[in-house]
Amino acid sequence: MPSNGKISLEELNKRLADTSVSDEELTRYFEVDEKRSGPFSPVLALNPQTVSIPPTAEGTERSAALLNSANFIARLRRHVAFNARVGEGSYRGPILVSEGDSWFQYPFKLSDVIDDLMQRYAVFSLDAAGDTLSNMFREAEYMEAIANTGASIFLFSGGGNDVVAGGNLAAHLFDFDPAKSPAAHLRPSFNLVLDEAIGIYSKLVRQVAQKFPNLQIICHGYDYTVPANGPWLGKPMAERKITDPALQKAIARVMVDRFNERLALLQQTSARLHYIDCRNTVHEDEWYDELHPTNDGYRKVAKKFSDKIEELSPKPKAVETRANKARAAVSAETTSYRATVQPSQAASRSAKPKDGPAGRSLHIGLNAVDPGHYAGWSGELNACEFDAQDMYEIAGGLGYEAKLLLTANATRDNVAGEIEKAAQDLSAGDIFFISYSGHGGQVPDFNGDEEDGVDETWCLFDRQLIDDEQYMMWSKFKPGVRVLVISDSCHSGSVIRAVNPDSPQVAVVANPLARAMPSNIAARTFRQNRDLYNKLGSSLSSVEAQTVLRAMDTPISCSVRLISGCQDNQTSLDGLGNGAFTAALINVWDNGRFSRNYAAFHGAILSKMPETQSPNHWSIGPKNPVFDAQTPFAI
């Protein structure tokens, strides 16, 4: 050791490699380089008061090499500690794998969440300060680690960079306005940043849960931080003339709340995902900087993790029965085949998962309607039953409890009964998937909720189902339920652009027919059944008018997403094997290989359609960013 009491770089390297030297002992040799640090990405510098750095080019190079390996060294030290705990033979607790940002690894300067948990549990740490959600998901180191260690619990920390907009918060704030609330100072783009983050979370959770069906996943939100003139919160707000500490703090609370709300929604989609709400855990005087708690603050957060770990592992097992034993369970690949269901017949299929959110689905296909109701018109089509059968197979393969209603069995009462049963049975986090293939129609608008003066309908076997009736049915679903409607019929753009026609990617349908009730038939059907539709319209416009006036007056509680075969003023084409829209959808779905969100799914379908048919995509009800970010049909 140099005579001035400082240690040399060689000695520091030795101490870093010696796992008997605690992180607390090493803290004094480092300091944080504030200028080079990023959000949730602290950059360390050597403390010149305790480390002797030769004032030469070689000394600078050696010290830089040591600092660049800080994350690697910290991870290596943790791996040594993990192997020692597992190898001692007396450990009877759960095996854990952790992946996260600087709340899970703040090398040497702070005792973070994982540092605290490792005092009690065997944790195989993959954490790295500054690691981003997208990078963690892209590299997916946790998949191999979970398999190799036989872990029963996966700890995940991510999204902090997104909460502070990756260090670019000022771009997502409006200038100070005394008339605006704290929330109103955040631009809509901030929500898009969070939605993208939650989309990655959703994919990661599903990736892990599908491969390791017995694994429990624990994630967490962040606590209410205090802006302190730092580069991540205080200074970006000041750039927008937001300088009042109370207002800064209130805006930061809104930011943290929005991220936590999205994680709480995500938790509803998986029984094996456990979200820890850390809000109001760390006191205001327990923050090391704007984004990281002190050791005492981290200890309180770790206690919440420990409580959840104990809850999920009530019966300790000998580690030797699990360590180094992969639990990977490879999911069987979904195969598509034609259902052998006779026309005009109902069928049901159940492949409900053992746990997690429930998926219920209903698939309706009509190749004809009852001439008795439709003024002698049978409305014969070719491929609607095939469409319904294909949707039924997709749903069943993904674990939905699926029901099929074909032609004569697709009556108004049967359809309404299945929808109402689903509304009664499903709870927050569950999903109802309904597909319809058949004729679309229009009737006069009785309650004044349609700009074009007509209500769009599904032509069920014994009568038309009006879009206002559907809205009433959606209003019966509980808060937090997701409803997905796939409608391959004419005038279906709101029943809940141009592409190159010469492109080889455009869907081609042999012998196309329009899935539209002819206008003369629609008029005759209405006149023949005037009393029925007048009575229905009157009841909707009086007793239920306040609800039927869409979400303006009485918002529905569930989140409904419609992807339809065309706009309200267009027709959907029929075919021999599938309708044009359903054929394009199945092509894009590609036996489950499509891995992007619903907006991208709609865009990909649109690119394969003829210019005369433009599928629509829109939603009603409360916004559900988890639903937005999910892959199509995901339970």
Side-chain angles (χ1 to χ4, degrees), residues 490-551:
C490 295
H491 315 303
S492 58
S494 62
V495 70
I496 41 163
R497 136 98 89 161
V499 299
N500 180 3
D502 298 322
S503 169
Q505 297 299 318
V506 173
V508 177
V509 180
N511 300 321
L513 298 171
R515 292 181 174 181
M517 180 166 43
S519 58
N520 63 320
I521 299 298
R524 285 162 46 191
T525 299
F526 177 76
R527 289 182 61 84
Q528 176 179 305
N529 301 282
R530 180 180 297 177
D531 290 344
L532 168 66
Y533 290 111
N534 279 340
K535 182 179 180 181
L536 175 61
S538 298
S539 66
L540 287 172
S541 61
S542 56
V543 179
E544 299 166 340
Q546 292 182 352
T547 304
V548 174
L549 288 178
R550 301 301 184 216

Coordinates of all heavy atoms in Angstrom, one line a residue, residues 490-551:
C490 N -70.1 -7.1 -44.1 CA -70.2 -5.8 -44.7 C -70.7 -4.8 -43.7 O -71.4 -5.2 -42.7 CB -71.2 -5.8 -45.9 SG -70.6 -6.8 -47.3
H491 N -70.4 -3.5 -43.9 CA -70.8 -2.4 -43.0 C -70.4 -2.6 -41.6 O -71.0 -2.2 -40.6 CB -72.4 -2.3 -43.0 CG -73.0 -2.3 -44.4 ND1 -72.6 -1.4 -45.4 CD2 -73.9 -3.1 -44.9 CE1 -73.3 -1.7 -46.5 NE2 -74.1 -2.7 -46.3
S492 N -69.2 -3.3 -41.4 CA -68.8 -3.7 -40.1 C -67.7 -2.8 -39.5 O -67.2 -3.1 -38.4 CB -68.2 -5.1 -40.1 OG -67.1 -5.2 -41.0
G493 N -67.5 -1.6 -40.1 CA -66.4 -0.8 -39.6 C -66.6 -0.3 -38.2 O -65.7 0.0 -37.5
S494 N -67.9 -0.1 -37.7 CA -68.1 0.3 -36.3 C -69.1 -0.6 -35.6 O -69.7 -0.2 -34.6 CB -68.6 1.7 -36.3 OG -69.9 1.9 -37.0
V495 N -69.4 -1.8 -36.1 CA -70.3 -2.7 -35.5 C -69.7 -3.1 -34.2 O -70.3 -3.9 -33.4 CB -70.6 -3.9 -36.4 CG1 -69.5 -4.8 -36.5 CG2 -71.9 -4.6 -35.9
I496 N -69.6 -2.9 -33.3 CA -69.5 -3.0 -31.9 C -70.2 -2.0 -31.2 O -71.4 -2.2 -31.2 CB -68.0 -3.2 -31.4 CG1 -67.0 -2.4 -32.0 CG2 -67.9 -4.4 -30.6 CD1 -65.8 -2.3 -31.1
R497 N -54.2 3.5 -46.2 CA -55.4 2.9 -46.6 C -55.1 2.4 -48.0 O -54.8 1.2 -48.0 CB -56.4 3.9 -46.4 CG -57.4 4.2 -47.3 CD -58.5 3.4 -46.9 NE -59.5 4.1 -46.1 CZ -60.6 3.6 -46.0 NH1 -60.9 2.6 -46.8 NH2 -61.4 4.1 -45.2
A498 N -55.3 3.0 -48.8 CA -55.2 2.3 -50.1 C -53.9 1.5 -50.3 O -52.9 1.9 -49.9 CB -55.3 3.3 -51.3
V499 N -54.0 0.3 -50.9 CA -52.9 -0.6 -51.2 C -52.8 -0.7 -52.7 O -53.8 -0.4 -53.4 CB -53.0 -2.0 -50.5 CG1 -53.0 -1.8 -49.0 CG2 -54.2 -2.7 -51.0
N500 N -51.7 -1.2 -53.2 CA -51.5 -1.4 -54.6 C -52.3 -2.6 -55.1 O -52.0 -3.8 -54.7 CB -50.0 -1.6 -54.9 CG -49.8 -1.8 -56.4 OD1 -50.7 -1.8 -57.2 ND2 -48.5 -2.0 -56.7
P501 N -53.3 -2.5 -55.9 CA -54.1 -3.7 -56.3 C -53.4 -4.7 -57.1 O -53.8 -5.8 -57.3 CB -55.3 -3.0 -57.1 CG -54.8 -1.7 -57.6 CD -53.8 -1.3 -56.5
D502 N -52.3 -4.2 -57.7 CA -51.5 -5.1 -58.5 C -50.4 -5.9 -57.7 O -49.7 -6.8 -58.2 CB -50.7 -4.4 -59.6 CG -51.7 -3.7 -60.5 OD1 -52.7 -4.3 -60.8 OD2 -51.4 -2.5 -60.9
S503 N -50.4 -5.6 -56.4 CA -49.4 -6.3 -55.5 C -49.7 -7.7 -55.3 O -50.9 -8.1 -55.1 CB -49.3 -5.6 -54.1 OG -48.6 -6.4 -53.2
P504 N -48.7 -8.6 -55.4 CA -49.0 -10.0 -55.2 C -49.4 -10.3 -53.8 O -49.8 -11.4 -53.5 CB -47.6 -10.7 -55.6 CG -46.6 -9.6 -55.3 CD -47.3 -8.3 -55.7
Q505 N -49.2 -9.4 -52.9 CA -49.5 -9.6 -51.5 C -51.0 -9.4 -51.2 O -51.5 -9.7 -50.1 CB -48.7 -8.6 -50.6 CG -47.2 -8.9 -50.6 CD -46.8 -10.3 -50.2 OE1 -47.3 -10.8 -49.2 NE2 -45.9 -10.9 -50.9
V506 N -51.8 -8.8 -52.1 CA -53.2 -8.6 -51.9 C -53.9 -9.9 -51.9 O -53.7 -10.8 -52.7 CB -53.7 -7.6 -53.0 CG1 -55.2 -7.5 -52.9 CG2 -53.1 -6.3 -52.9
A507 N -54.9 -10.0 -50.9 CA -55.6 -11.2 -50.8 C -56.4 -11.5 -52.0 O -57.1 -10.6 -52.6 CB -56.5 -11.2 -49.6
V508 N -56.4 -12.7 -52.6 CA -57.2 -13.1 -53.7 C -58.2 -14.1 -53.3 O -57.9 -15.1 -52.7 CB -56.2 -13.7 -54.8 CG1 -57.0 -14.2 -56.0 CG2 -55.2 -12.7 -55.2
V509 N -59.5 -13.9 -53.7 CA -60.6 -14.7 -53.3 C -61.3 -15.2 -54.6 O -61.7 -14.4 -55.4 CB -61.6 -14.0 -52.4 CG1 -62.7 -15.0 -52.0 CG2 -60.9 -13.5 -51.1
A510 N -61.4 -16.5 -54.7 CA -62.0 -17.0 -55.9 C -63.5 -16.8 -55.8 O -64.2 -17.0 -54.8 CB -61.8 -18.6 -56.0
N511 N -64.2 -16.4 -56.9 CA -65.6 -16.2 -57.0 C -66.1 -15.4 -55.9 O -67.0 -15.8 -55.1 CB -66.3 -17.6 -57.0 CG -65.9 -18.4 -58.2 OD1 -65.7 -17.9 -59.3 ND2 -65.8 -19.7 -57.9
P512 N -65.6 -14.1 -55.8 CA -66.0 -13.3 -54.6 C -67.5 -12.9 -54.7 O -68.1 -12.6 -55.7 CB -65.1 -12.1 -54.7 CG -64.8 -12.0 -56.2 CD -64.7 -13.4 -56.7
L513 N -68.1 -12.9 -53.5 CA -69.5 -12.4 -53.3 C -69.4 -11.4 -52.2 O -68.6 -11.5 -51.3 CB -70.4 -13.5 -52.9 CG -70.7 -14.7 -53.8 CD1 -71.5 -15.8 -53.1 CD2 -71.4 -14.2 -55.0
A514 N -70.2 -10.4 -52.3 CA -70.3 -9.4 -51.2 C -71.1 -9.9 -50.1 O -72.2 -10.5 -50.3 CB -70.9 -8.1 -51.7
R515 N -70.6 -9.8 -48.8 CA -71.3 -10.2 -47.7 C -72.2 -9.1 -47.2 O -72.1 -8.7 -46.0 CB -70.3 -10.7 -46.6 CG -69.6 -11.9 -46.9 CD -68.6 -12.4 -45.8 NE -68.0 -13.6 -46.1 CZ -67.1 -14.3 -45.4 NH1 -66.7 -13.7 -44.2 NH2 -66.6 -15.4 -45.7
A516 N -73.1 -8.7 -48.1 CA -74.0 -7.6 -47.7 C -75.4 -8.0 -48.1 O -75.7 -8.5 -49.2 CB -73.6 -6.3 -48.5
M517 N -76.4 -7.7 -47.2 CA -77.7 -7.9 -47.6 C -78.1 -6.9 -48.6 O -77.9 -5.7 -48.4 CB -78.6 -7.8 -46.3 CG -80.1 -8.0 -46.6 SD -81.1 -8.3 -45.1 CE -80.5 -7.1 -44.0
P518 N -78.6 -7.3 -49.8 CA -79.0 -6.3 -50.8 C -80.0 -5.2 -50.2 O -80.8 -5.6 -49.4 CB -79.6 -7.1 -51.9 CG -79.0 -8.5 -51.7 CD -78.8 -8.6 -50.2
S519 N -79.9 -4.0 -50.7 CA -80.7 -2.9 -50.2 C -82.2 -3.2 -50.3 O -83.0 -2.9 -49.4 CB -80.3 -1.6 -50.9 OG -80.5 -1.7 -52.3
N520 N -82.6 -3.8 -51.5 CA -84.0 -4.1 -51.6 C -84.5 -5.2 -50.6 O -85.6 -5.1 -50.1 CB -84.3 -4.5 -53.1 CG -83.6 -5.8 -53.4 OD1 -82.5 -6.1 -53.1 ND2 -84.3 -6.7 -54.2
I521 N -83.6 -6.1 -50.3 CA -83.9 -7.2 -49.4 C -84.0 -6.5 -48.0 O -84.8 -6.9 -47.1 CB -82.9 -8.3 -49.4 CG1 -82.9 -9.0 -50.8 CG2 -83.2 -9.3 -48.3 CD1 -84.3 -9.6 -51.1
A522 N -83.0 -5.6 -47.7 CA -83.0 -5.0 -46.4 C -84.3 -4.2 -46.2 O -84.9 -4.2 -45.1 CB -81.8 -4.0 -46.3
A523 N -84.7 -3.5 -47.2 CA -86.0 -2.7 -47.1 C -87.2 -3.7 -46.9 O -88.1 -3.4 -46.0 CB -86.2 -1.9 -48.3
R524 N -87.3 -4.7 -47.7 CA -88.4 -5.7 -47.5 C -88.4 -6.4 -46.2 O -89.4 -6.6 -45.6 CB -88.3 -6.7 -48.7 CG -88.8 -6.1 -50.0 CD -88.3 -7.0 -51.2 NE -88.5 -8.4 -51.0 CZ -88.0 -9.3 -51.8 NH1 -87.2 -9.0 -52.8 NH2 -88.2 -10.6 -51.6
T525 N -87.1 -6.7 -45.7 CA -87.0 -7.4 -44.4 C -87.5 -6.5 -43.3 O -88.2 -6.9 -42.4 CB -85.6 -7.8 -44.1 OG1 -85.2 -8.7 -45.1 CG2 -85.4 -8.5 -42.8
F526 N -87.1 -5.2 -43.4 CA -87.5 -4.2 -42.4 C -89.0 -4.1 -42.4 O -89.7 -4.0 -41.4 CB -86.8 -2.9 -42.6 CG -87.3 -1.8 -41.6 CD1 -86.9 -1.8 -40.3 CD2 -88.2 -0.8 -42.0 CE1 -87.3 -0.9 -39.4 CE2 -88.6 0.1 -41.1 CZ -88.2 0.1 -39.8
R527 N -89.6 -3.9 -43.6 CA -91.1 -3.7 -43.7 C -91.8 -4.9 -43.2 O -92.8 -4.8 -42.5 CB -91.4 -3.4 -45.1 CG -91.0 -2.0 -45.6 CD -91.4 -1.8 -47.1 NE -92.9 -1.8 -47.2 CZ -93.7 -0.7 -46.9 NH1 -93.1 0.4 -46.5 NH2 -95.0 -0.8 -47.0
Q528 N -91.3 -6.1 -43.5 CA -92.0 -7.3 -43.1 C -92.0 -7.5 -41.6 O -92.9 -8.0 -41.0 CB -91.3 -8.5 -43.8 CG -91.9 -9.9 -43.3 CD -91.2 -11.0 -44.0 OE1 -91.2 -11.1 -45.3 NE2 -90.6 -12.0 -43.3
N529 N -90.8 -7.0 -41.0 CA -90.7 -7.2 -39.5 C -90.7 -5.8 -38.8 O -90.0 -5.6 -37.8 CB -89.3 -7.9 -39.2 CG -89.3 -9.3 -39.9 OD1 -89.9 -10.2 -39.4 ND2 -88.6 -9.3 -41.0
R530 N -91.5 -4.9 -39.4 CA -91.5 -3.5 -38.9 C -91.8 -3.4 -37.4 O -91.2 -2.7 -36.6 CB -92.5 -2.7 -39.7 CG -92.5 -1.2 -39.2 CD -93.5 -0.4 -40.0 NE -93.1 -0.4 -41.4 CZ -93.9 0.2 -42.4 NH1 -95.0 0.8 -42.0 NH2 -93.5 0.2 -43.6
D531 N -92.8 -4.2 -37.0 CA -93.2 -4.1 -35.5 C -92.0 -4.5 -34.6 O -91.8 -3.9 -33.6 CB -94.4 -5.0 -35.3 CG -95.7 -4.5 -35.9 OD1 -95.7 -3.3 -36.3 OD2 -96.7 -5.2 -36.1
L532 N -91.3 -5.6 -35.0 CA -90.2 -6.1 -34.2 C -89.1 -5.0 -34.1 O -88.7 -4.7 -33.0 CB -89.6 -7.4 -34.9 CG -88.2 -7.8 -34.3 CD1 -88.4 -8.3 -32.8 CD2 -87.7 -8.9 -35.1
Y533 N -88.7 -4.5 -35.2 CA -87.6 -3.5 -35.2 C -88.0 -2.2 -34.6 O -87.2 -1.5 -34.0 CB -87.0 -3.3 -36.6 CG -86.2 -4.6 -37.0 CD1 -86.7 -5.4 -38.1 CD2 -85.1 -4.9 -36.4 CE1 -86.0 -6.5 -38.5 CE2 -84.4 -6.1 -36.8 CZ -84.9 -6.9 -37.8 OH -84.2 -8.0 -38.2
N534 N -89.3 -1.8 -34.9 CA -89.8 -0.5 -34.2 C -89.8 -0.7 -32.7 O -89.4 0.2 -32.0 CB -91.2 -0.2 -34.7 CG -91.2 0.5 -36.1 OD1 -90.1 1.0 -36.5 ND2 -92.3 0.5 -36.8
K535 N -90.3 -1.8 -32.3 CA -90.3 -2.1 -30.8 C -88.9 -2.1 -30.2 O -88.7 -1.5 -29.2 CB -91.1 -3.4 -30.5 CG -91.2 -3.7 -29.1 CD -92.0 -5.1 -28.9 CE -92.1 -5.4 -27.4 NZ -92.8 -6.7 -27.2
L536 N -88.0 -2.8 -30.9 CA -86.6 -2.8 -30.5 C -86.0 -1.4 -30.4 O -85.4 -1.0 -29.5 CB -85.8 -3.7 -31.4 CG -84.3 -3.8 -31.1 CD1 -84.1 -4.4 -29.7 CD2 -83.6 -4.7 -32.1
G537 N -86.3 -0.7 -31.5 CA -85.7 0.7 -31.6 C -86.3 1.6 -30.5 O -85.6 2.4 -29.9
S538 N -87.6 1.5 -30.2 CA -88.2 2.3 -29.2 C -87.7 2.0 -27.8 O -87.4 2.8 -27.0 CB -89.8 2.1 -29.2 OG -90.3 2.5 -30.5
S539 N -87.5 0.7 -27.6 CA -87.0 0.3 -26.2 C -85.6 0.8 -26.1 O -85.2 1.3 -25.0 CB -87.0 -1.2 -26.1 OG -86.1 -1.9 -27.0
L540 N -84.8 0.8 -27.1 CA -83.4 1.2 -27.0 C -83.4 2.8 -26.9 O -82.6 3.3 -26.1 CB -82.6 0.8 -28.3 CG -82.2 -0.6 -28.4 CD1 -81.6 -0.9 -29.7 CD2 -81.2 -1.0 -27.3
S541 N -84.3 3.5 -27.6 CA -84.2 4.9 -27.5 C -84.9 5.5 -26.3 O -84.7 6.7 -26.0 CB -84.9 5.5 -28.8 OG -86.3 5.1 -28.8
S542 N -85.6 4.7 -25.5 CA -86.2 5.2 -24.3 C -85.5 4.6 -23.0 O -84.7 5.3 -22.4 CB -87.7 4.8 -24.3 OG -87.9 3.4 -24.4
V543 N -85.8 3.4 -22.8 CA -85.3 2.8 -21.5 C -83.7 2.8 -21.5 O -83.1 3.1 -20.4 CB -85.8 1.3 -21.3 CG1 -85.2 0.7 -20.1 CG2 -87.3 1.3 -21.4
E544 N -83.1 2.5 -22.6 CA -81.6 2.3 -22.6 C -80.9 3.4 -23.3 O -79.7 3.3 -23.6 CB -81.3 1.0 -23.1 CG -81.9 -0.2 -22.3 CD -81.8 -1.5 -23.0 OE1 -81.7 -1.5 -24.3 OE2 -81.9 -2.5 -22.4
A545 N -81.6 4.5 -23.7 CA -80.9 5.5 -24.5 C -79.7 6.1 -23.9 O -78.7 6.3 -24.6 CB -81.9 6.6 -24.8
Q546 N -79.7 6.3 -22.6 CA -78.5 7.0 -22.0 C -77.3 6.1 -22.1 O -76.1 6.6 -22.3 CB -78.8 7.3 -20.5 CG -79.8 8.4 -20.4 CD -80.0 8.7 -18.9 OE1 -79.5 8.0 -18.0 NE2 -80.8 9.7 -18.7
T547 N -77.5 4.8 -22.1 CA -76.3 3.9 -22.3 C -75.9 3.7 -23.7 O -74.7 3.6 -24.0 CB -76.7 2.5 -21.7 OG1 -77.1 2.7 -20.3 CG2 -75.4 1.6 -21.7
V548 N -76.9 3.7 -24.6 CA -76.6 3.4 -26.0 C -75.9 4.6 -26.7 O -75.3 4.5 -27.7 CB -77.9 3.0 -26.7 CG1 -77.7 2.9 -28.2 CG2 -78.5 1.7 -26.2
L549 N -76.0 5.8 -26.1 CA -75.4 6.9 -26.7 C -73.9 6.8 -26.5 O -73.2 7.7 -26.1 CB -75.9 8.2 -26.1 CG -77.3 8.6 -26.5 CD1 -77.8 9.9 -25.8 CD2 -77.4 8.8 -28.0
R550 N -73.4 5.6 -26.8 CA -72.0 5.3 -26.8 C -71.3 5.8 -25.5 O -71.9 6.0 -24.5 CB -71.3 6.0 -28.1 CG -71.9 5.5 -29.4 CD -71.8 4.0 -29.5 NE -72.2 3.5 -30.8 CZ -72.9 2.4 -31.0 NH1 -73.1 1.6 -29.9 NH2 -73.2 2.0 -32.2
A551 N -70.0 5.9 -25.5 CA -69.3 6.1 -24.3 C -69.4 7.6 -23.9 O -68.8 7.9 -22.8 CB -67.8 5.8 -24.5

